[in-house]
Amino acid sequence: MTTARPDSGPVPPPGEGRGGLRVVRADEFAEPKPPLPARGSMDRLRAEHAALRERITAGDAKAVERQRGLGKHTARERLDMLLDAGSFTEIDQFRRHQASGRKLTDHRPHTDGVVAGSGTIEGRRVFVYAQDFTVFGGSLGQAHAAKIRKVMDLALATGAPLIGLNDSGGARIQEGVLALHGYGGIFRRQVAASGVIPQISVVLGPCAGGAAYSPALADFTFMVRDTAKMYLTGPDVVAAVSGERVSHEELGGADVHGGQSGVATVVHDDEESCLADVRYLVSLLPANNLDPAPRLPERGAAGDERPRLAELVPPEPSKPYDMRDVVAELVDDGDFFEVHEGWAANVICALARIDGDVVGVVGNQPMVLSGVLDRAASQKAARFVRFCDAFAIPLVTLVDVPGFLPGTEQEHAGVIRHGAQLLYAYCEASVPRIQVILRKAYGGAYIVMDSRSIGTDLSLAWPTNEIAVMGAQGAVDVLFRRDLAAAADPERLRRELVAEYTEQLMHPHYAAERGLVDDVIDPAHTRAAVAGGLAMLRDKRVQGPRRKHGNVPL
């Protein structure tokens, strides 16, 4: 633009040159720009808000890339896989920590490392939180914990299942005791919600220190191989204290907790199949302890014969078979959700449907340790029985058990105490209970596996049943020890005595004649008999004694 020099006289007004000539400005040739909304106007506020929400949802690009480099999805991607499309309502998206100190004051990302809210699974309401490893490594601080507690309170207040997706480095060290206090509040709410709403924990990354107690308190815990790790003290601490060198995977990987510790209920190879299985589990569970489990139309099971059952189970008591095949014949479409498949495999625990109704199935597994009960199997079955009882899910118990596993290791490890846990669980259960004795049912293990004496409502047995203190061979060796020692032909005498003992005390109708078995059924009629029994018991009501709570032999 032309301007007057300081010594050339008065400066003409804008738009005029000397002698009345107009001065042309260079910016008059530029394209006009749309004016910005005035600061404080609704349009400007809406635009700024939308931009902020978009940045929060997208996350830090480099951190997201690192997450994917670890073979993991982001928190929001996981929620998209878990929940029905478009159903998620997020709460506290703009929450930020209020802590101060090194590395905190100048770094206050929104969400504080956890995405929380509610959505639906197959149209049914759930509440969920997903820890975000791209923000503070998913570590838990005061604001982070407050968001989780808010979701838990809402789940309990509305009577809806709670699902936690865990991917966290543990307590946020910079926030000190406030982080520990945050964990405590979460654990207290989990205990308060136990038996009131189903709680599902999914471990998709690290879950260390105090954080590990949250999955341990849940009703069901899922883990993904290679990426999920869970332990109270990490490999470095273990090495410092004991000198033992161990990897993260060896210390707390998915297969360790799925096959040895029993902390993991289900183990998967990838996040997609894991979260799909969580959806399937939710479809089998009631929303809370006052609502029934979702029921499907009847399948005509009361008239359904399954002759294959008679072929699956050998009549000889010592020959193995897979109890899963029996379960598949009993339940609708052969479809069931097995828990703790890799841990204590000598007993099977599964959720399924019979004639449209959800049931819990417990069965001895002759393919593993001949189906004996030991301390791990007793504990596994006891927890499952108590879960089903808490949420009014009927129990079907399939019995083929030679007894408790003998040996000093079992006795010293507390097999009596653990066996008593299963006994307690069945005695306490007030849901409809049906026992089916397929073959052998010996000793204390027969009593513990929901026998008539501890309160089963309906006891059915196959013609192959053998109910006794012990097998005929063992009983003869104890009762006729001196006779056998003095006999000229001990083996012949033993065979004769075994046949006599079996005929007198272990024939198929012995227990039925004494009212300890309600019916001896054809194996092919088992599905129909169980379905009929469940229909008969559907309106069962039991008023328990007035007490604060019992004292489970933990």
Side-chain angles (χ1 to χ4, degrees):
M1 182 177 67
T2 304
T3 58
R5 293 174 58 180
D7 58 352
S8 59
V11 177
E16 293 186 14
R18 296 183 185 275
L21 296 176
R22 184 173 181 274
V23 179
V24 180
R25 299 175 181 273
D27 58 5
E28 291 185 35
F29 296 99
E31 289 289 333
K33 295 181 180 179
L36 285 173
R39 182 166 298 279
S41 73
M42 179 59 74
D43 288 343
R44 181 158 187 158
L45 290 173
R46 290 176 63 197
E48 291 175 346
H49 171 73
L52 175 59
R53 188 184 292 276
E54 187 175 342
R55 289 197 302 273
I56 295 171
T57 303
D60 181 88
K62 291 183 179 179
V64 169
E65 191 62 30
R66 285 195 299 270
Q67 176 83 344
R68 293 191 176 126
L70 295 172
K72 301 190 295 182
H73 291 87
T74 67
R76 296 182 187 278
E77 289 170 342
R78 290 163 174 168
L79 290 172
D80 287 341
M81 287 188 281
L82 176 66
L83 303 173
D84 296 340
S87 70
F88 182 57
T89 299
E90 185 172 354
I91 62 173
D92 276 359
Q93 185 181 56
F94 301 102
R95 191 81 178 244
R96 305 165 80 181
H97 74 76
Q98 305 302 312
S100 60
R102 183 170 294 188
K103 297 186 178 181
L104 284 178
T105 303
D106 297 329
H107 186 43
R108 298 174 60 234
H110 293 90
T111 74
D112 203 54
V114 61
V115 183
S118 178
T120 61
I121 292 179
E122 295 185 4
R124 301 175 65 226
R125 176 65 51 194
V126 298
F127 284 82
V128 61
Y129 65 87
Q131 291 180 313
D132 186 352
F133 197 77
T134 70
V135 178
F136 287 129
S139 62
L140 184 138
Q142 189 176 29
H144 184 121
K147 290 180 64 173
I148 294 176
R149 294 198 303 263
K150 182 182 289 188
V151 164
M152 297 178 78
D153 290 341
L154 290 171
L156 191 57
T158 58
L162 175 72
I163 304 172
L165 308 184
N166 297 272
D167 188 2
S168 168
R172 193 172 300 164
I173 299 173
Q174 301 96 315
E175 294 197 32
V177 70
L178 292 178
L180 302 180
H181 178 72
Y183 274 127
I186 292 170
F187 302 154
R188 180 167 57 87
R189 284 167 173 80
Q190 281 190 267
V191 173
S194 181
V196 181
I197 56 172
Q199 299 181 67
I200 300 171
S201 185
V202 188
V203 184
L204 301 167
C207 186
Y213 284 118
S214 191
L217 288 170
D219 297 308
F220 300 92
T221 299
F222 291 71
M223 292 185 73
V224 174
R225 288 187 177 92
D226 298 328
T227 56
K229 308 290 187 294
M230 183 164 46
Y231 36 67
L232 292 178
T233 53
D236 293 341
V237 177
V238 170
V241 173
S242 67
E244 180 185 5
R245 296 291 176 181
V246 62
S247 70
H248 291 274
E249 189 69 29
E250 293 168 334
L251 182 62
D255 287 322
V256 169
H257 290 302
Q260 298 180 46
S261 74
V263 175
T265 313
V266 183
V267 174
H268 279 277
D269 290 327
D270 55 74
E271 294 187 12
E272 291 85 354
S273 63
C274 178
L275 294 173
D277 218 20
V278 174
R279 286 178 60 89
Y280 174 48
L281 172 60
V282 171
S283 75
L284 293 168
L285 300 180
N288 55 68
N289 65 328
L290 299 179
D291 287 351
R295 195 172 191 278
L296 297 182
E298 292 183 6
R299 307 294 297 276
D304 193 354
E305 290 198 12
R306 297 297 176 96
R308 186 166 178 264
L309 283 170
E311 303 168 2
L312 287 173
V313 181
E316 300 85 357
S318 60
K319 284 192 176 181
Y321 62 92
D322 194 339
M323 185 63 83
R324 289 189 186 89
D325 294 335
V326 175
V327 175
E329 287 293 316
L330 291 182
V331 304
D332 296 350
D333 301 320
D335 197 11
F336 56 92
F337 182 89
E338 185 174 357
V339 302
H340 294 296
E341 182 178 352
W343 178 59
N346 41 323
V347 68
I348 292 173
C349 298
L351 291 168
R353 282 190 170 91
I354 295 180
D355 215 19
D357 285 323
V358 176
V359 298
V361 180
V362 179
N364 307 111
Q365 173 58 292
M367 292 286 289
V368 180
L369 296 175
S370 300
V372 298
L373 288 177
D374 59 6
R375 58 191 182 91
S378 299
Q379 194 174 48
K380 168 181 169 178
R383 182 161 173 78
F384 182 73
V385 167
R386 286 175 65 83
F387 172 82
C388 290
D389 187 51
F391 290 98
I393 297 173
L395 287 160
V396 177
T397 304
L398 306 176
V399 183
D400 191 350
V401 62
F404 279 92
L405 183 63
T408 55
E409 191 276 333
Q410 285 290 310
E411 296 291 350
H412 295 175
V415 68
I416 296 173
R417 177 167 46 85
H418 290 94
Q421 291 172 5
L422 180 54
L423 179 63
Y424 192 106
Y426 269 123
C427 288
E428 185 183 45
S430 61
V431 295
R433 292 154 53 186
I434 298 177
Q435 177 198 48
V436 183
I437 303 170
L438 279 62
R439 295 193 308 187
K440 54 193 175 295
Y442 296 159
Y446 155 69
I447 300 172
V448 168
M449 289 295 291
D450 204 19
S451 63
R452 165 66 68 187
S453 58
I454 66 170
T456 196
D457 298 299
L458 182 65
S459 179
L460 307 172
W462 288 8
T464 46
N465 79 83
E466 293 184 357
I467 307 172
V469 175
M470 61 179 68
Q473 185 78 39
V476 164
D477 288 342
V478 172
L479 294 173
F480 301 101
R481 182 174 60 254
R482 293 181 180 178
D483 301 77
L484 291 170
D489 189 347
E491 286 306 313
R492 177 181 176 183
L493 178 60
R494 180 179 285 105
R495 286 194 300 271
E496 293 174 352
L497 292 172
V498 166
E500 179 182 340
Y501 183 90
T502 301
E503 177 66 25
Q504 292 180 356
L505 298 174
M506 295 179 62
H507 62 81
H509 297 88
Y510 184 87
E513 291 171 357
R514 288 153 179 82
L516 300 178
V517 165
D518 296 296
D519 196 7
V520 178
I521 62 173
D522 186 322
H525 298 161
T526 306
R527 175 169 159 82
V530 170
L534 291 170
M536 177 182 71
L537 297 167
R538 185 168 291 146
D539 295 326
K540 176 185 175 183
R541 298 289 184 272
V542 175
Q543 185 65 44
R546 294 190 58 167
R547 61 180 177 182
K548 186 175 182 181
H549 57 72
N551 188 15
V552 184
L554 299 174

